[in-house]
Structures are given as C-alpha cells and as structure tokens.
C-alpha cells in the first residue's frame, strides 16, 4: 500500500481518560443537564470482531477489528477506520466520542463512531490488505450502513481501502439495493463515487482555521514559520495549502525521523520525496534533528498531525510557538493543555481544527444520495463556510463563558446535543 500515510509515532496512557476529563470539565462549566450528561458519558455500542484472513502463503491469520458507536442523536454514526498496531478499545472509544462532538460543532447531521484493525498495514501485501479489509467489512455486516453508520479513512487507510469496503458491502446486499447504498462509506476514489476535495479536506480545514486565527490576531501568515508532526494525509495537505500564503515549513517529523531547515522546506518537493521513500528521513535539503528539537523549534505555528498524546506534561514545556493547530485527534492531553494555556500558547482544538474531513465526507454522502457530482469550487466554498461558521461559534462561546478554546468547542457541541435530547425526550 502507499506509504505516504505511514504514522507509527508512539502513543501512551488512556486516551479515553483524556476525553472523559475534557468532557467533565466542559459539562461542569456549562452546567450540562445531569441526566443528559449520563447518556453522553457512555458509548452506545462497542463491537469487537476477531476474524480470519488468508495470507499470500496460504496460511490463515486472525485479526481483531473494532467499531465503537458513541452517539446518533444528531444523525447516523460517522467516523473513520484506522489501521494501526496501537488500535484498541480504549483508543477507538475516545475517537468515536470525539466524532460526536466534531459533527455537532460543524453542524452536520451525523453522530460519532470510529473503528479500525489492530495491525501494522506495512507488513502486509496489497492483496493481503484487500482480503483483511473485505473480511473485516463482512464481519461488521449490518452494523454499518448508508443511513446507519458510515465509515471513512483515518490513519493508514486510503481511498483504495474505502473502495474495497464499498465493493464488499454492496456485494453482500440484495441486488436491487446495491445502487442505493454507495453512501455507506466516504473517502472513496472519485471514480467510485468519491467527492472532489475529500482527499485534502482535513488539511484544508486545518488551514481555514489557521486563517481565521490569524485574522483574529491580526497576524500575517506571509512569512510565518510553522512545524509539523506527521507528514501523512493531514500534515502534507496542510503544508501544501499553507505554501500559497507564503508561510515557511521549518521542521517536520514523521515515524522515520525529523528534519529541519530554517530557510524553509518546500512542501511540494518534500511530498514527492515522501511518496517515493515512505518518510521524511534522508531528505537532503534539510538536516536531521531529534524529536525534542522538533518540539522545541521556535516557530509561529505547530501542527501536530499524527497520533494522540504527543503534547503532555513532559513535552508541552518544550513548545515555543504562538498557536497549536491540532490536525490529529487528541494530540494534546489535559496536562499538556494546561501547560500550553499557562505559556500563553493558543490552541485550535482538534474537534474544530480537523473537522474538514468529516464535513467533506458529509458532502460526499449527500452527492451520492442525490446522484450529483459537485465541482471542486463548490466543495471548497461550502467547506469554507462550514469551518468559518464553526470557528465563529466556538470563538463566541469562548468569550461568553470566558474559558479556553477546547472547553468552548465542547460547550458548542454539548449545547446542541442537550437541546436535541430535551426536545426529543427519552424513550419510553
Ligand atoms: N477520520 C476523520 C476524522 O477523524 C474523518 C472521519 C469521516 O470523514 O467520517 O475526522
């Protein structure tokens, strides 16, 4: 499989415990209805499937796959599938919960879910990955569906993998249902029903939020410096899209290593190199640096775009930037968050910053349902509007509650969920 989204930067500690801490803080702050709090504090469904797949040498290997559905009061469950050795129930639970908040913040009619397989995809051939993916889809069966639970790409999962899931799902439906079901998955290749602009959508959303932050601060992105952790889909697209602003990438890290060049690294050139070699290591137009040097590089913007728990009590004091734009899900743990705030570093929280992906997934879903195909300009304009509106809602809430940005973002989401629960009531 393509190596560009290879990310195995290590995570540690319970990620779900972080979500619970963030949620409790916001719920206390906004005085969330205690009954509704009980509901949102739990996931709805947790699926763990052990399933076999045939290897190229004819042997069978067992795999463990997950799908956690957190909440669907706002619409069908929605969220990506991750292929990574660190995937476990704790991580998937956290990621599913963040999806609920994310969809609520950007005002799209989706709930939250997440899934994945615990494996290192780089150890398998394309044909093995295809069989693993198809067998996982088959194992999930009717636990996913176009109006029920709609997966998408996440760490190490590509448009090709989405096409295999689509084909497997459709092939297991009655023939007369098949054409009606292409919106069972988003992030598909364009030819197979994908949307223009979905590939870059998360990075594009990150850049739209950075633009809004810069406007608010009266800060010019022209000549601004930034550093990136992770040069997969999100990190590389955010860098490519910051280039026209005249911003300068001065250090970048992925699983293969970290590199720096104070004069700037060209994101396009680095992208070609990473696609060819599988990582940033050995890129000759920059010098190799260590992980801590990357984190302590003085810059205007830091974009973590890899895994969870990267900015912690231990690493947050190293950061020397004006803003952290969270391209990844959960890159900052609650201790790291407090330290950044004390240091006066702004945070554009993940559930706002990286929501561009799910927004364009929603557009893809709509196009499939209506048998439409939108041009890129339309997708980009609609995405821009969604992200700017969400940014403004969070900014206003931060002002209203005099709180930090993550708590503000949570309050936007929780208010919306609370309102819907109050309107609908609890069955029976
Ligand atoms: N995996 C992405 C995320 O974490 C996209 C989810 C989707 O498009 O459903 O937001």
């Amino acid at each position: 499989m393509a190596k560009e989204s290879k990310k195995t930067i290590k995570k540690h500690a319970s990620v779900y415990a972080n979500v619970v801490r963030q949620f409790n803080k916001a719920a206390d702050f906004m005085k969330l209805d205690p009954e509704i709090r009980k509901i949102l504090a739990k996931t709805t469904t947790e699926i763990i499937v052990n399933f076999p797949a045939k290897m190229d040498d004819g042997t069978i290997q067992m795999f463990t796959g997950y799908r956690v559905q957190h909440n669907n009061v706002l619409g069908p469950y929605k969220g990506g599938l991750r292929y990574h050795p660190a995937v476990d129930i704790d991580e998937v639970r956290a990621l599913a919960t963040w999806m609920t908040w994310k969809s609520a913040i950007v005002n799209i009619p989706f709930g939250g879910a997440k899934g994945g397989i615990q494996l290192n995809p780089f150890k398998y051939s394309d044909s093995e990955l295809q069989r693993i993916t198809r067998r996982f889809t088959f194992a999930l069966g009717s636990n996913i569906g176009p109006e029920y639970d709609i997966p998408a790409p996440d760490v190490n999962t590509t448009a090709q993998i989405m096409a295999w899931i689509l084909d497997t799902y459709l092939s297991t439906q009655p023939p007369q249902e098949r054409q009606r079901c292409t919106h069972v998955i988003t992030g598909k290749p364009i030819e197979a029903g994908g949307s223009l602009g979905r590939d870059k959508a998360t990075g594009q959303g990150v850049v739209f939020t950075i633009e809004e932050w810069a406007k608010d601060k009266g800060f010019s992105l022209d000549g601004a410096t930034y550093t990136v952790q992770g040069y997969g889909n999100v990190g590389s697209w955010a860098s490519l899209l910051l280039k026209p602003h005249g911003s300068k990438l001065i250090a970048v890290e992925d699983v293969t290593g970290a590199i720096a060049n104070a004069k700037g690294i060209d994101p396009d050139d680095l992208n070609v190199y990473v696609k060819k070699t599988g990582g940033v290591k050995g890129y000759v137009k920059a010098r190799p640096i260590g992980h801590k040097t990357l984190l302590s590089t003085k810059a205007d913007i830091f974009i973590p775009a890899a895994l969870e728990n990267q900015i912690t009590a231990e690493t947050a004091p190293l950061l020397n930037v004006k803003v952290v734009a969270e391209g990844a899900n959960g890159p900052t743990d609650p201790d790291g968050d407090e330290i950044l705030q004390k240091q006066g570093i702004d945070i554009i929280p993940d559930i706002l910053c990286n929501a561009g992906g799910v927004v364009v997934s929603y557009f893809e879903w709509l196009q499939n349902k209506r048998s439409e195909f939108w041009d890129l300009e339309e997708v980009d304009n609609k995405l821009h509007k969604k992200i700017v509106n969400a940014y403004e809602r969070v900014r206003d809430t931060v002002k209203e509650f005099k709180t930090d940005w993550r708590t503000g973002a949570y309050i936007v989401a929780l208010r919306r969920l609370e309102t819907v629960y109050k309107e609908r009531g609890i069955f029976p």
Side-chain angles (χ1 to χ4, degrees):
M1 70 175 282
K3 280 195 179 158
E4 90 259 23
S5 52
K6 181 172 175 180
K7 294 177 207 143
T8 47
I9 294 162
K10 242 186 118 40
K11 69 180 175 82
H12 33 82
S14 164
V15 194
Y16 189 64
N18 295 346
V19 181
V20 172
R21 269 177 74 183
Q22 293 168 351
F23 171 71
N24 283 334
K25 182 178 172 190
D28 287 343
F29 218 88
M30 68 175 286
K31 300 190 176 49
L32 178 68
D33 182 302
E35 303 304 316
I36 291 161
R37 185 173 176 148
K38 288 179 198 163
I39 303 171
L40 294 173
K42 295 270 183 207
T43 58
T44 305
T45 319
E46 301 190 343
I47 300 155
I48 303 179
V49 284
N50 295 311
F51 61 93
K54 207 179 277 167
M55 299 295 99
D56 289 341
D57 66 4
T59 60
I60 296 292
Q61 201 174 312
M62 289 301 291
F63 295 90
T64 305
Y66 301 84
R67 187 72 179 168
V68 170
Q69 296 160 336
H70 173 252
N71 188 281
N72 66 350
V73 78
L74 297 178
Y77 297 113
K78 185 82 189 84
L81 293 172
R82 174 175 292 202
Y83 286 6
H84 194 280
V87 167
D88 60 17
I89 193 67
D90 177 84
E91 181 184 62
V92 178
R93 209 176 260 156
L95 292 162
T97 312
W98 280 318
M99 285 309 302
T100 302
W101 315 147
K102 215 184 282 188
S103 300
I105 289 170
V106 288
N107 229 337
I108 56 176
F110 285 144
K114 202 76 161 208
I117 307 176
Q118 191 182 78
L119 89 173
N120 177 356
F122 302 100
K123 284 190 9 206
Y124 298 91
S125 70
D126 269 8
S127 57
E128 286 170 335
L129 270 183
Q130 178 172 171
R131 287 192 295 275
I132 295 165
T133 299
R134 287 182 181 277
R135 193 58 204 243
F136 177 46
T137 310
F138 181 75
L140 287 176
S142 56
N143 290 299
I144 61 169
E147 308 291 335
Y148 180 62
D149 183 353
I150 305 125
D154 196 74
V155 174
N156 293 335
T157 49
T158 56
Q160 173 62 74
I161 291 174
M162 301 306 112
W164 292 329
I165 296 174
L166 173 74
D167 188 68
T168 308
Y169 183 84
L170 296 186
S171 302
T172 53
Q173 298 303 304
Q176 60 276 25
E177 296 294 324
R178 290 177 194 159
Q179 295 311 322
R180 264 191 259 150
C181 293
T182 49
H183 53 304
V184 65
I185 189 130
T186 59
K188 300 181 286 292
I190 305 297
E191 305 76 14
S195 174
L196 291 173
R198 176 61 186 84
D199 192 33
K200 66 165 180 156
T202 309
Q204 181 69 79
V206 169
V207 172
F208 285 156
T209 62
I210 292 173
E211 287 170 10
E212 292 310 297
W213 170 85
K215 249 191 254 165
D216 273 354
K217 298 277 160 179
F219 176 80
S220 170
L221 290 176
D222 191 10
T225 53
Y226 66 100
T227 57
V228 175
Q229 187 193 42
Y231 211 69
N233 175 280
V234 183
S236 64
W237 271 114
S239 305
L240 294 168
L241 294 163
L242 276 170
K243 186 175 160 180
H245 283 288
S247 309
K248 207 160 70 172
L249 173 63
I250 57 168
V252 50
E253 172 180 50
D254 70 5
V255 66
T256 63
I259 55 170
N261 185 344
K263 291 203 185 95
I265 297 166
D266 177 28
D268 282 291
D269 194 54
L270 180 63
N271 207 27
V272 172
Y273 178 81
V274 168
K275 288 221 158 98
K276 203 160 55 189
T277 65
V280 303
K281 190 180 172 192
Y283 182 69
V284 290
K285 294 170 205 164
R287 68 189 165 86
I289 55 168
H291 174 61
K292 287 210 162 144
T293 310
L294 178 280
L295 290 177
S296 45
T297 301
K298 183 173 170 13
D300 297 310
I301 305 159
F302 174 45
I303 306 174
L307 293 180
E308 306 87 62
N309 285 347
Q310 299 302 307
I311 304 170
T312 59
E314 192 191 322
T315 57
L318 300 173
L319 294 196
N320 190 358
V321 295
K322 292 190 173 70
V323 63
V324 173
E326 295 183 337
N329 290 308
T332 311
D333 77 6
D335 296 335
D337 203 321
E338 269 172 36
I339 294 169
L340 294 188
Q341 285 178 49
K342 275 195 201 119
Q343 292 179 159
I345 296 174
D346 291 338
I347 301 172
I348 309 174
D350 48 6
I351 48 179
L352 167 66
C353 189
N354 72 36
V358 74
V359 169
V360 179
S361 275
Y362 168 53
F363 297 158
E364 178 175 334
W365 186 76
L366 277 181
Q367 289 171 74
N368 294 160
K369 269 167 82 95
R370 301 174 181 172
S371 301
E372 287 179 2
F373 191 69
W374 303 352
D375 60 34
L376 184 59
E377 208 189 339
E378 184 173 357
V379 172
D380 281 349
N381 287 342
K382 287 190 156 121
L383 172 63
H384 186 248
K385 206 167 161 194
K386 278 269 176 219
I387 297 292
V388 171
N389 284 346
Y391 184 94
E392 287 171 350
R393 267 197 297 281
V394 173
R395 187 188 55 202
D396 294 347
T397 309
V398 166
K399 278 196 195 129
E400 183 188 336
F401 283 83
K402 295 190 180 51
T403 185
D404 62 279
W405 273 68
R406 193 180 314 282
T407 307
Y410 263 77
I411 294 174
V412 171
L414 297 179
R415 266 181 169 176
R416 191 169 166 217
L417 289 153
E418 182 181 46
T419 305
V420 177
Y421 269 112
K422 284 197 169 152
E423 286 164 354
R424 285 178 53 165
I426 301 299
F427 176 83

